[in-house]
Protein backbone atom coordinates (compact mmCIF):
# COMPACT_ATOMS: atom_id res chain seq x y z
CA UNK A 1 0.00 0.00 0.00
CA UNK A 2 2.84 2.36 0.75
CA UNK A 3 4.94 1.72 -2.36
CA UNK A 4 2.79 3.75 -4.82
CA UNK A 5 3.10 6.77 -2.56
CA UNK A 6 6.88 6.85 -2.83
CA UNK A 7 7.06 7.77 -6.53
CA UNK A 8 4.33 10.34 -5.99
CA UNK A 9 6.26 11.91 -3.10
CA UNK A 10 9.46 11.88 -5.18
CA UNK A 11 7.64 13.60 -8.03
CA UNK A 12 6.36 16.29 -5.68
CA UNK A 13 9.87 16.88 -4.40
CA UNK A 14 11.21 17.11 -7.96
CA UNK A 15 8.65 19.78 -8.77
CA UNK A 16 9.77 22.00 -5.89
CA UNK A 17 10.59 25.48 -7.29
CA UNK A 18 14.32 26.10 -7.71
CA UNK A 19 15.91 28.52 -5.18
CA UNK A 20 17.05 30.84 -7.97
CA UNK A 21 13.44 32.00 -8.40
CA UNK A 22 14.00 34.22 -5.35
CA UNK A 23 16.57 36.14 -7.40
CA UNK A 24 14.38 36.11 -10.50
CA UNK A 25 11.65 37.77 -8.40
CA UNK A 26 14.04 40.61 -7.56
CA UNK A 27 14.67 41.18 -11.27
CA UNK A 28 10.98 40.91 -12.20
CA UNK A 29 9.90 43.53 -9.66
CA UNK A 30 12.01 46.14 -11.45
CA UNK A 31 9.35 46.11 -14.16
CA UNK A 32 6.98 47.90 -11.78
CA UNK A 33 6.67 51.66 -12.30
CA UNK A 34 8.34 53.99 -9.84
CA UNK A 35 6.09 56.64 -8.29
CA UNK A 36 6.54 59.96 -10.18
CA UNK A 37 7.31 61.89 -7.02
CA UNK A 38 9.49 59.20 -5.43
CA UNK A 39 12.66 60.99 -4.44
CA UNK A 40 14.73 57.83 -4.14
CA UNK A 41 12.90 55.74 -1.55
CA UNK A 42 13.19 51.98 -1.29
CA UNK A 43 11.85 50.01 -4.25
CA UNK A 44 9.95 46.72 -3.81
CA UNK A 45 12.91 44.98 -5.46
CA UNK A 46 15.12 46.11 -2.57
CA UNK A 47 12.71 44.59 -0.06
CA UNK A 48 12.58 41.31 -1.98
CA UNK A 49 16.38 41.23 -2.19
CA UNK A 50 16.44 41.36 1.62
CA UNK A 51 13.94 38.49 1.70
CA UNK A 52 16.13 36.54 -0.71
CA UNK A 53 19.09 36.96 1.66
CA UNK A 54 16.91 35.78 4.57
CA UNK A 55 15.63 32.84 2.53
CA UNK A 56 19.20 31.86 1.68
CA UNK A 57 20.21 32.03 5.35
CA UNK A 58 17.28 29.83 6.39
CA UNK A 59 18.21 27.26 3.75
CA UNK A 60 21.76 27.14 5.08
CA UNK A 61 20.52 26.60 8.63
CA UNK A 62 18.09 23.89 7.52
CA UNK A 63 20.67 22.05 5.40
CA UNK A 64 23.42 22.50 8.00
CA UNK A 65 26.08 23.11 5.42
CA UNK A 66 29.03 25.47 5.16
CA UNK A 67 27.78 28.63 3.46
CA UNK A 68 30.90 29.69 1.50
CA UNK A 69 34.29 28.33 0.63
CA UNK A 70 37.26 30.05 2.25
CA UNK A 71 38.18 31.83 -0.98
CA UNK A 72 34.62 33.05 -1.51
CA UNK A 73 34.37 34.29 2.06
CA UNK A 74 37.61 36.26 1.71
CA UNK A 75 36.76 37.81 -1.67
CA UNK A 76 33.16 38.73 -0.81
CA UNK A 77 33.95 39.73 2.78
CA UNK A 78 36.95 41.92 1.95
CA UNK A 79 34.86 45.12 1.47
CA UNK A 80 33.54 44.84 5.04
CA UNK A 81 36.88 46.03 6.41
CA UNK A 82 36.81 49.40 4.66
CA UNK A 83 33.08 49.81 5.23
CA UNK A 84 33.41 49.32 8.97
CA UNK A 85 36.17 51.95 9.21
CA UNK A 86 34.20 54.43 7.07
CA UNK A 87 31.00 53.84 9.06
CA UNK A 88 32.81 54.72 12.29
CA UNK A 89 34.08 57.93 10.69
CA UNK A 90 30.66 59.04 9.41
CA UNK A 91 29.22 62.40 10.46
CA UNK A 92 26.41 60.72 12.42
CA UNK A 93 25.53 57.18 13.55
CA UNK A 94 22.45 57.24 11.33
CA UNK A 95 24.45 58.13 8.23
CA UNK A 96 27.05 55.50 9.07
CA UNK A 97 24.50 52.71 9.58
CA UNK A 98 22.48 53.71 6.52
CA UNK A 99 25.53 53.77 4.28
CA UNK A 100 26.86 50.54 5.76
CA UNK A 101 23.57 48.75 5.14
CA UNK A 102 23.41 49.90 1.51
CA UNK A 103 26.99 48.87 0.72
CA UNK A 104 26.58 45.52 2.45
CA UNK A 105 23.40 44.90 0.48
CA UNK A 106 24.95 45.68 -2.90
CA UNK A 107 28.46 44.27 -2.55
CA UNK A 108 28.31 41.56 0.13
CA UNK A 109 24.94 40.12 1.18
CA UNK A 110 22.95 39.94 -2.06
CA UNK A 111 25.96 38.74 -4.13
CA UNK A 112 26.60 36.02 -1.55
CA UNK A 113 22.93 35.01 -1.66
CA UNK A 114 22.98 34.84 -5.46
CA UNK A 115 26.15 32.74 -5.32
CA UNK A 116 24.45 30.27 -2.97
CA UNK A 117 21.01 30.21 -4.60
CA UNK A 118 22.28 29.64 -8.15
CA UNK A 119 22.88 25.90 -8.48
CA UNK A 120 24.02 25.34 -12.06
CA UNK A 121 24.29 26.81 -15.52
CA UNK A 122 20.59 26.36 -16.14
CA UNK A 123 19.89 28.75 -13.27
CA UNK A 124 22.31 31.30 -14.76
CA UNK A 125 20.56 30.97 -18.11
CA UNK A 126 17.19 31.58 -16.44
CA UNK A 127 18.52 34.68 -14.71
CA UNK A 128 20.09 35.97 -17.92
CA UNK A 129 16.85 35.55 -19.84
CA UNK A 130 14.90 37.28 -17.06
CA UNK A 131 17.26 40.26 -17.21
CA UNK A 132 16.97 40.35 -21.00
CA UNK A 133 13.17 40.19 -20.77
CA UNK A 134 13.18 43.05 -18.27
CA UNK A 135 15.39 45.04 -20.63
CA UNK A 136 13.02 44.42 -23.55
CA UNK A 137 10.07 45.57 -21.46
CA UNK A 138 11.79 48.72 -20.20
CA UNK A 139 13.17 49.38 -23.68
CA UNK A 140 9.73 49.10 -25.24
CA UNK A 141 8.35 51.61 -22.75
CA UNK A 142 11.28 53.90 -23.46
CA UNK A 143 10.84 53.77 -27.24
CA UNK A 144 7.12 54.52 -26.78
CA UNK A 145 8.07 57.53 -24.67
CA UNK A 146 10.37 58.83 -27.40
CA UNK A 147 7.87 58.29 -30.22
CA UNK A 148 4.93 59.84 -28.35
CA UNK A 149 6.89 62.63 -26.66
CA UNK A 150 6.04 61.43 -23.16
CA UNK A 151 9.57 60.79 -21.91
CA UNK A 152 11.81 62.81 -19.64
CA UNK A 153 12.90 66.25 -20.70
CA UNK A 154 16.05 66.45 -22.85
CA UNK A 155 17.11 69.76 -24.37
CA UNK A 156 13.64 71.07 -23.59
CA UNK A 157 11.84 68.22 -25.36
CA UNK A 158 10.07 65.29 -23.59
CA UNK A 159 11.84 62.59 -25.62
CA UNK A 160 14.37 60.96 -23.29
CA UNK A 161 13.60 57.27 -22.80
CA UNK A 162 13.54 56.43 -19.08
CA UNK A 163 11.17 53.44 -19.00
CA UNK A 164 9.18 53.09 -15.78
CA UNK A 165 11.90 54.68 -13.64
CA UNK A 166 10.84 58.29 -14.17
CA UNK A 167 12.94 61.43 -14.67
CA UNK A 168 14.45 61.27 -11.15
CA UNK A 169 16.38 58.15 -12.22
CA UNK A 170 17.30 58.78 -15.85
CA UNK A 171 20.03 56.13 -15.62
CA UNK A 172 17.61 53.40 -14.51
CA UNK A 173 16.36 52.30 -17.92
CA UNK A 174 19.79 52.74 -19.50
CA UNK A 175 21.29 50.43 -16.87
CA UNK A 176 18.60 47.77 -17.26
CA UNK A 177 18.75 47.83 -21.06
CA UNK A 178 22.56 47.70 -21.07
CA UNK A 179 22.70 44.75 -18.69
CA UNK A 180 19.98 42.93 -20.62
CA UNK A 181 21.91 43.50 -23.84
CA UNK A 182 25.09 42.12 -22.25
CA UNK A 183 23.18 39.04 -21.05
CA UNK A 184 21.64 38.49 -24.48
CA UNK A 185 25.02 38.78 -26.19
CA UNK A 186 26.50 36.29 -23.74
CA UNK A 187 23.69 33.83 -24.50
CA UNK A 188 24.25 34.33 -28.22
CA UNK A 189 27.99 33.70 -27.99
CA UNK A 190 27.93 30.59 -25.80
CA UNK A 191 27.13 26.99 -26.59
CA UNK A 192 23.47 26.15 -27.00
CA UNK A 193 20.70 25.42 -29.48
CA UNK A 194 20.87 27.54 -32.63
CA UNK A 195 17.29 28.76 -32.15
CA UNK A 196 18.08 30.05 -28.66
CA UNK A 197 21.24 31.80 -29.83
CA UNK A 198 19.37 33.43 -32.71
CA UNK A 199 16.68 34.67 -30.34
CA UNK A 200 19.37 36.12 -28.07
CA UNK A 201 21.03 37.83 -31.02
CA UNK A 202 17.68 39.33 -31.96
CA UNK A 203 17.34 40.72 -28.44
CA UNK A 204 20.75 42.34 -28.78
CA UNK A 205 19.75 44.13 -31.97
CA UNK A 206 16.35 45.14 -30.57
CA UNK A 207 17.91 46.66 -27.44
CA UNK A 208 20.27 48.92 -29.39
CA UNK A 209 17.46 51.38 -30.15
CA UNK A 210 16.24 52.03 -26.58
CA UNK A 211 19.85 52.20 -25.41
CA UNK A 212 20.49 54.94 -27.95
CA UNK A 213 17.31 56.80 -26.99
CA UNK A 214 18.35 56.81 -23.31
CA UNK A 215 20.95 59.49 -24.23
CA UNK A 216 23.18 58.01 -21.52
CA UNK A 217 26.82 58.49 -22.47
CA UNK A 218 28.13 56.37 -19.60
CA UNK A 219 25.87 53.44 -20.54
CA UNK A 220 26.95 53.71 -24.18
CA UNK A 221 30.63 53.59 -23.28
CA UNK A 222 30.26 50.73 -20.79
CA UNK A 223 28.16 48.68 -23.21
CA UNK A 224 30.53 49.24 -26.13
CA UNK A 225 33.55 48.23 -24.04
CA UNK A 226 31.80 45.16 -22.62
CA UNK A 227 30.49 43.91 -25.94
CA UNK A 228 33.96 44.31 -27.47
CA UNK A 229 35.46 42.27 -24.61
CA UNK A 230 32.81 39.54 -24.91
CA UNK A 231 33.30 39.27 -28.67
CA UNK A 232 37.08 39.11 -28.41
CA UNK A 233 36.83 36.42 -25.75
CA UNK A 234 34.63 34.42 -28.12
CA UNK A 235 37.20 34.65 -30.93
CA UNK A 236 38.40 37.26 -33.38
CA UNK A 237 36.54 35.82 -36.38
CA UNK A 238 33.21 35.76 -34.55
CA UNK A 239 33.91 39.23 -33.16
CA UNK A 240 34.34 40.67 -36.66
CA UNK A 241 31.16 39.00 -37.92
CA UNK A 242 29.00 40.19 -35.02
CA UNK A 243 30.50 43.68 -35.10
CA UNK A 244 29.63 43.95 -38.80
CA UNK A 245 26.01 42.95 -38.08
CA UNK A 246 25.72 45.49 -35.25
CA UNK A 247 27.18 48.28 -37.38
CA UNK A 248 24.77 47.41 -40.19
CA UNK A 249 21.81 47.53 -37.79
CA UNK A 250 22.98 50.87 -36.41
CA UNK A 251 23.30 52.30 -39.91
CA UNK A 252 19.77 51.18 -40.76
CA UNK A 253 18.28 52.58 -37.53
CA UNK A 254 20.14 55.88 -37.40
CA UNK A 255 21.04 56.48 -41.02
CA UNK A 256 18.10 54.88 -42.79
CA UNK A 257 15.25 55.81 -40.47
CA UNK A 258 16.86 58.91 -38.95
CA UNK A 259 16.26 57.79 -35.36
CA UNK A 260 17.28 60.81 -33.29
CA UNK A 261 20.12 61.56 -35.71
CA UNK A 262 20.92 65.16 -34.77
CA UNK A 263 20.59 64.75 -31.00
CA UNK A 264 22.43 61.44 -30.97
CA UNK A 265 25.32 62.92 -32.93
CA UNK A 266 25.46 65.88 -30.56
CA UNK A 267 25.36 63.58 -27.54
CA UNK A 268 28.09 61.34 -28.95
CA UNK A 269 30.25 64.35 -29.74
CA UNK A 270 29.93 65.63 -26.19
CA UNK A 271 31.73 62.52 -24.85
CA UNK A 272 35.09 63.83 -26.02
CA UNK A 273 34.29 67.54 -25.68
CA UNK A 274 35.79 68.15 -22.24
CA UNK A 275 37.90 71.27 -22.64
CA UNK A 276 36.29 72.63 -25.80
CA UNK A 277 32.99 74.15 -24.61
CA UNK A 278 31.60 71.20 -22.65
CA UNK A 279 27.92 71.23 -21.64
CA UNK A 280 26.96 71.95 -18.04
CA UNK A 281 26.47 68.28 -17.15
CA UNK A 282 30.06 67.53 -18.17
CA UNK A 283 31.30 70.57 -16.23
CA UNK A 284 29.38 69.47 -13.13
CA UNK A 285 30.73 65.94 -13.42
CA UNK A 286 34.37 66.97 -13.58
CA UNK A 287 33.88 69.57 -10.87
CA UNK A 288 32.48 66.90 -8.54
CA UNK A 289 35.33 64.57 -9.46
CA UNK A 290 37.77 67.27 -8.41
CA UNK A 291 35.83 67.76 -5.16
CA UNK A 292 36.01 64.02 -4.41
CA UNK A 293 39.76 64.06 -5.01
CA UNK A 294 40.05 67.02 -2.64
CA UNK A 295 38.23 65.11 0.11
CA UNK A 296 40.60 62.19 -0.35
CA UNK A 297 43.66 64.39 -0.11
CA UNK A 298 42.27 65.77 3.15
CA UNK A 299 41.79 62.29 4.66
CA UNK A 300 43.72 59.85 2.46
CA UNK A 301 43.41 56.68 4.54
CA UNK A 302 39.86 56.68 5.92
CA UNK A 303 38.00 59.30 3.85
CA UNK A 304 35.28 61.60 5.15
CA UNK A 305 32.95 58.77 6.20
CA UNK A 306 29.97 57.04 4.63
CA UNK A 307 27.44 59.43 3.10
CA UNK A 308 29.84 62.30 3.80
CA UNK A 309 30.24 63.53 0.22
CA UNK A 310 27.21 65.88 0.22
CA UNK A 311 28.29 67.55 3.46
CA UNK A 312 31.87 68.16 2.26
CA UNK A 313 31.07 68.91 -1.38
CA UNK A 314 30.78 72.69 -1.22
CA UNK A 315 34.02 73.03 0.73
CA UNK A 316 35.94 71.33 -2.08
CA UNK A 317 33.97 72.23 -5.25
CA UNK A 318 34.74 75.20 -7.46
CA UNK A 319 32.26 77.89 -8.50
CA UNK A 320 31.77 76.08 -11.83
CA UNK A 321 29.44 73.61 -10.11
CA UNK A 322 25.75 74.32 -10.72
CA UNK A 323 23.18 74.22 -7.95
CA UNK A 324 21.56 71.04 -9.28
CA UNK A 325 20.19 69.17 -12.26
CA UNK A 326 16.74 69.81 -13.72
CA UNK A 327 14.27 66.98 -14.26
CA UNK A 328 10.86 67.09 -15.89
CA UNK A 329 8.44 65.00 -17.93
CA UNK A 330 7.62 61.26 -17.94
CA UNK A 331 4.61 61.82 -15.70
CA UNK A 332 6.41 63.98 -13.12
CA UNK A 333 6.57 67.70 -12.61
CA UNK A 334 9.56 69.98 -12.80
CA UNK A 335 12.11 69.39 -10.07
CA UNK A 336 15.63 70.58 -9.37
CA UNK A 337 17.71 67.80 -7.88
CA UNK A 338 20.84 68.55 -5.85
CA UNK A 339 24.10 66.94 -6.95
CA UNK A 340 24.90 64.64 -4.04
CA UNK A 341 27.47 62.27 -5.54
CA UNK A 342 30.44 62.55 -7.93
CA UNK A 343 28.92 60.08 -10.45
CA UNK A 344 32.09 58.00 -10.27
CA UNK A 345 32.04 54.97 -7.97
CA UNK A 346 35.80 54.84 -7.57
CA UNK A 347 36.05 58.48 -6.57
CA UNK A 348 33.02 58.19 -4.29
CA UNK A 349 34.64 55.29 -2.43
CA UNK A 350 37.98 57.10 -2.35
CA UNK A 351 36.37 60.26 -0.91
CA UNK A 352 34.19 58.54 1.69
CA UNK A 353 36.27 55.45 2.54
CA UNK A 354 39.80 56.49 1.65
CA UNK A 355 42.55 54.18 0.45
CA UNK A 356 41.50 51.49 2.92
CA UNK A 357 37.99 51.27 1.52
CA UNK A 358 38.99 51.56 -2.13
CA UNK A 359 41.68 48.89 -1.76
CA UNK A 360 39.21 46.52 -0.10
CA UNK A 361 36.38 47.05 -2.61
CA UNK A 362 38.54 47.25 -5.72
CA UNK A 363 40.57 44.27 -4.53
CA UNK A 364 37.39 42.20 -4.26
CA UNK A 365 36.25 43.29 -7.73
CA UNK A 366 39.66 42.65 -9.29
CA UNK A 367 39.80 39.16 -7.78
CA UNK A 368 36.39 38.33 -9.28
CA UNK A 369 37.48 39.68 -12.67
CA UNK A 370 40.78 37.78 -12.77
CA UNK A 371 39.27 34.50 -11.56
CA UNK A 372 36.29 34.83 -13.89
CA UNK A 373 38.35 35.53 -17.00
CA UNK A 374 40.77 32.75 -16.11
CA UNK A 375 37.86 30.33 -15.78
CA UNK A 376 36.39 31.44 -19.11
CA UNK A 377 39.67 31.05 -20.99
CA UNK A 378 40.31 27.71 -19.27
CA UNK A 379 36.88 26.40 -20.30
CA UNK A 380 37.48 27.58 -23.86
CA UNK A 381 40.81 25.75 -24.05
CA UNK A 382 39.45 22.57 -22.49
CA UNK A 383 36.13 22.35 -24.33
CA UNK A 384 36.77 24.35 -27.50
CA UNK A 385 34.15 26.98 -26.62
CA UNK A 386 33.20 28.73 -23.39
CA UNK A 387 29.66 28.25 -22.02
CA UNK A 388 27.15 31.06 -22.24
CA UNK A 389 27.10 31.51 -18.47
CA UNK A 390 30.80 32.47 -18.57
CA UNK A 391 30.18 35.19 -21.17
CA UNK A 392 27.18 36.45 -19.18
CA UNK A 393 28.94 36.54 -15.79
CA UNK A 394 32.18 38.07 -17.05
CA UNK A 395 30.32 40.52 -19.27
CA UNK A 396 28.14 41.80 -16.44
CA UNK A 397 31.21 42.34 -14.25
CA UNK A 398 33.11 44.16 -17.00
CA UNK A 399 30.09 46.39 -17.62
CA UNK A 400 29.79 47.30 -13.94
CA UNK A 401 33.48 48.06 -13.53
CA UNK A 402 33.46 50.22 -16.67
CA UNK A 403 30.24 52.02 -15.77
CA UNK A 404 31.60 52.81 -12.31
CA UNK A 405 33.90 55.32 -14.01
CA UNK A 406 30.80 57.34 -14.96
CA UNK A 407 28.22 56.41 -12.33
CA UNK A 408 27.80 55.23 -8.75
CA UNK A 409 25.18 53.29 -6.81
CA UNK A 410 21.76 54.82 -6.30
CA UNK A 411 18.19 54.31 -7.45
CA UNK A 412 16.06 51.18 -7.89
CA UNK A 413 18.32 49.68 -10.57
CA UNK A 414 21.15 49.40 -8.01
CA UNK A 415 19.79 46.03 -6.90
CA UNK A 416 20.72 44.71 -10.35
CA UNK A 417 24.32 45.65 -9.57
CA UNK A 418 24.18 43.27 -6.63
CA UNK A 419 22.77 40.50 -8.84
CA UNK A 420 25.55 41.08 -11.37
CA UNK A 421 28.25 40.76 -8.72
CA UNK A 422 26.54 37.61 -7.47
CA UNK A 423 26.59 35.99 -10.91
CA UNK A 424 30.22 37.02 -11.38
CA UNK A 425 31.04 35.47 -7.99
CA UNK A 426 29.23 32.24 -8.91
CA UNK A 427 31.36 31.80 -12.03
CA UNK A 428 34.62 33.02 -10.50
CA UNK A 429 34.37 31.35 -7.07
CA UNK A 430 31.98 28.43 -7.44
CA UNK A 431 34.02 25.38 -8.43
CA UNK A 432 30.84 23.57 -9.48
CA UNK A 433 30.25 26.27 -12.08
CA UNK A 434 32.80 24.65 -14.40
CA UNK A 435 32.18 21.04 -13.44
CA UNK A 436 28.56 20.79 -14.60
CA UNK A 437 28.32 19.63 -18.24
CA UNK A 438 27.37 22.38 -20.70
CA UNK A 439 23.73 22.84 -21.39
Amino acid sequence: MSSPALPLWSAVRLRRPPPVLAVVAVVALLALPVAPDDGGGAHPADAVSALAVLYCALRLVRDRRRPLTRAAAVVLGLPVLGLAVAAVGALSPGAGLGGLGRYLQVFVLVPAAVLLLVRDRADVTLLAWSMSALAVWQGAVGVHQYVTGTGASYRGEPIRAVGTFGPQDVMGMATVVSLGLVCALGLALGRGPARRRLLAAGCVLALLLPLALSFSRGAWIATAVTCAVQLLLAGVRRALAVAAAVVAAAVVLVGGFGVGTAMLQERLGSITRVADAPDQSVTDRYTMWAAAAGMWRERPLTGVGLKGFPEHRDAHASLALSSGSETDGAGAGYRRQPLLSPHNMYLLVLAEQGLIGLTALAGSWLALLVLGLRGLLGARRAEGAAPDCAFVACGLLVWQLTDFAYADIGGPSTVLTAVCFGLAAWWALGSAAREVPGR
Side-chain angles (χ1 to χ4, degrees), residues 281-362:
S281 64
V282 174
T283 300
D284 287 339
R285 185 180 300 266
Y286 284 92
T287 301
M288 290 189 292
W289 287 8
M295 297 177 200
W296 167 69
R297 284 191 294 267
E298 183 179 289
R299 300 181 187 176
L301 287 179
T302 61
V304 297
L306 294 181
K307 291 196 173 183
F309 182 87
E311 297 296 330
H312 293 82
R313 183 199 63 183
D314 292 340
H316 295 86
S318 68
L319 296 177
L321 183 66
S322 66
S323 59
S325 61
E326 299 177 344
T327 63
D328 196 6
Y334 174 84
R335 177 180 295 179
R336 192 164 187 85
Q337 291 184 299
L339 303 173
L340 302 178
S341 71
H343 296 290
N344 181 304
M345 191 66 200
Y346 303 107
L347 288 176
L348 177 63
V349 173
L350 191 63
E352 295 188 344
Q353 303 180 40
L355 285 175
I356 296 176
L358 182 62
T359 301
L361 267 173

Side-chain angles (χ1 to χ4, degrees), residues 1 15 28-29 40 83 93 96 109 134 140 156 173 185 241 245 258 272 293 324 328 335 354 379 384 388 404 424 426:
M1 296 293 292
R15 294 193 188 98
L29 282 174
L83 292 172
L109 297 178
L134 174 66
M173 190 211 77
L185 182 58
T272 57
D328 196 6
R335 177 180 295 179
D388 50 14
F404 278 167
W426 177 86

